[in-house]
Amino acid sequence: MKDRFLRACWREPVDRTPVWFMRQAGRSSAAYRELRARHGMLELARDPKLAAEITMQPVHELGVDAAILFSDLLLPLEAMGASVALEEGTGPRLSPPVRKGEDVARLRALDPEKDLAFVLETIRRVREKAEVPLIGFGGAPFTLASYLIEGGGSRDFLETKRFLHAEPDAWDRLMARLTEALGAFLRAQADAGAQALQVFDSWAGALSPLDYAARVAPWSRKLLRSLEETDVPVIHFGTNTAGFLESFRSAGGDVVGVDWRVPLDEAWHRIGEDRGIQGNLDPAALLDPPEAWRAAAADVLRRADGRPGHIFNLGHGVLPQTPRESLQLLVQFVHEHQEGVRGT
Ligand code: CP3
């Protein structure tokens, strides 16, 4: 079934549970590492021919039910005026960091058709050939704001929290700007042919439930609402969200993506069965031999209990050191594990 991923997004019955992996095209792939030996990551993302090839590679190699656009969360920030560098070992660096109201005012509005034409061209190329649905993606306002404010990744997000608490007006202006830019970018991806969209709020879980609900959820909600006109399903993903899953879900998304820190059945109950769920095997499980992780994968499927609307994924991205063969075996395992699947 070619459309089992999209059917599951809409909570329609499927023949087998659909499965794909965040970072399925990254450094765990030998084909990707070979290309990376010759080109920088962002250089690959800016080349529609290569980016389309990398997008499709895991579909052929792993047998996953969806392709995810090969690109990066940080590219729209670059187009808005930040300078972005991906440094080996230390993660992304953005400069200059946004620390004051004036820094927010300097961010440019985004014109996706012009600034990110290469992304839209990659989508068109993938759609010419793809046998499975293509997922486009972008960052949620909070996660993008955190990169701008911290100047890169962070463990405790102290600068971001300081900004949110000390400069409430500038914070709202920053969130408004990011919400607008990402809305335009994600809608342009759907117009170019993306058949589903994933909004990554990867670091929302750093926040207290109160700050999330009051200062972040309204912007995510505005962004997710603005995607309804596209008619493609939207996956709203975050990690460490178990402390405020109800407000995370109420911000929107046809499907809510959860990490491994919460049992899938408990999460689904809290999200509500009027939404789909994506997840949630611990990516670290795949560093063990298959006989060790099969029980954990079966546990995720048992908790989903074959209810329409489950998309199998890891709780976060594939770790670079994951054996490629384990990903292949996991796709087979999910597809063969049919007892629980109610449907066609
Ligand atoms: O999932 C996929 O296979 C599609 C491609 C994709 C990439 N980044 C490619 C990439 C996607 C969906 C992203 C999203 C992204 N980028 C997120 C959200 C997802 C998440 O992990 O929560 C974030 C936070 C970023 C920012 C970013 N870009 C980080 C933290 C890193 C890792 C830094 C490092 O060196 O490991 C990147 C780089 C990046 N983006 C790589 C890939 C394949 C690895 C860089 C490389 O090839 O050297």
Side-chain angles (χ1 to χ4, degrees):
M1 199 190 257
K2 280 188 193 149
D3 62 347
R4 61 168 79 98
F5 164 77
L6 289 174
R7 291 178 60 94
C9 288
W10 297 124
R11 285 178 294 106
E12 292 167 7
V14 284
D15 59 342
R16 290 144 202 263
T17 300
V19 47
W20 69 279
F21 305 116
M22 293 178 270
R23 287 283 164 92
Q24 62 192 16
R27 281 182 295 220
S28 70
S29 154
Y32 177 76
R33 288 195 303 270
E34 202 175 297
L35 277 167
R36 273 287 280 116
R38 284 177 280 132
H39 308 274
M41 190 268 153
L42 296 177
E43 190 188 333
L44 293 172
R46 285 194 197 95
D47 181 326
K49 184 167 174 282
L50 289 174
E53 260 174 45
I54 299 170
T55 301
M56 288 313 298
Q57 195 272 338
V59 176
H60 303 136
E61 188 190 358
L62 306 176
V64 286
D65 295 300
I68 181 157
L69 173 70
F70 182 77
S71 182
D72 196 73
L73 207 70
L74 305 173
L75 284 166
L77 300 180
E78 186 175 56
M80 293 174 80
S83 134
V84 175
L86 287 176
E87 284 155 26
E88 206 67 50
T90 60
R93 302 285 1 138
L94 285 86
S95 57
V98 170
R99 293 282 158 90
K100 301 187 293 298
E102 302 132 57
D103 302 332
V104 175
R106 266 198 295 277
L107 290 173
R108 291 194 288 272
L110 188 71
D111 177 354
E113 309 286 342
K114 191 168 126 266
D115 299 330
L116 295 162
F118 56 90
V119 174
L120 306 179
E121 176 58 21
T122 302
I123 292 174
R124 291 186 202 101
R125 281 183 184 243
V126 173
R127 283 303 309 279
E128 277 168 24
K129 301 213 193 96
E131 310 85 44
V132 295
L134 172 65
I135 307 169
F137 72 91
F142 172 77
T143 288
L144 292 178
S146 79
Y147 278 103
L148 287 173
I149 297 169
E150 304 288 340
S154 176
R155 193 213 288 265
D156 42 26
F157 298 89
L158 293 181
E159 288 293 340
T160 309
K161 293 179 184 186
R162 188 201 59 80
F163 195 103
L164 184 164
H165 295 141
E167 313 226 25
D169 296 339
W171 173 261
D172 282 342
R173 285 201 301 280
L174 175 58
M175 295 299 268
R177 230 160 241 245
L178 290 170
T179 301
E180 188 156 330
L182 265 289
F185 181 36
L186 287 160
R187 291 190 299 273
Q189 291 186 44
D191 285 346
Q195 290 143 294
L197 296 169
Q198 177 153 322
V199 173
F200 285 92
D201 210 352
S202 305
W203 314 131
L207 291 166
S208 71
L210 200 65
D211 281 340
Y212 179 77
R215 312 302 310 284
V216 169
W219 298 107
S220 294
R221 182 172 301 117
K222 188 165 186 203
L223 173 65
L224 291 161
R225 283 236 172 98
S226 82
L227 304 180
E228 283 171 14
E229 67 184 57
T230 65
D231 293 328
V232 307
V234 178
I235 304 167
H236 183 198
F237 168 78
T239 70
N240 252 319
T241 53
F244 51 80
L245 203 45
E246 289 76 9
S247 52
F248 191 80
R249 139 326 302 242
S250 74
D254 302 292
V255 177
V256 175
V258 292
D259 73 7
W260 62 93
R261 296 174 179 93
V262 55
L264 186 115
D265 47 351
E266 183 196 315
W268 208 347
H269 181 72
R270 291 172 62 197
I271 288 162
E273 289 185 15
D274 60 337
R275 308 288 190 89
I277 192 166
Q278 178 173 279
N280 71 344
L281 184 69
D282 184 348
L286 294 181
L287 304 183
D288 296 334
E291 36 311 348
W293 52 252
R294 275 196 196 102
D299 185 61
V300 170
L301 290 161
R302 185 182 62 72
R303 289 174 191 278
D305 193 26
R307 286 191 293 270
H310 176 222
I311 298 160
F312 193 101
N313 206 315
L314 306 181
H316 205 169
V318 173
L319 297 165
Q321 61 274 47
T322 306
R324 214 56 186 161
E325 205 200 359
S326 294
L327 293 171
Q328 275 163 341
L329 290 172
L330 180 55
V331 171
Q332 278 171 28
F333 182 83
V334 173
H335 283 165
E336 281 161 12
H337 191 98
Q338 283 181 77
E339 309 118 72
V341 177
R342 293 182 211 147
T344 54

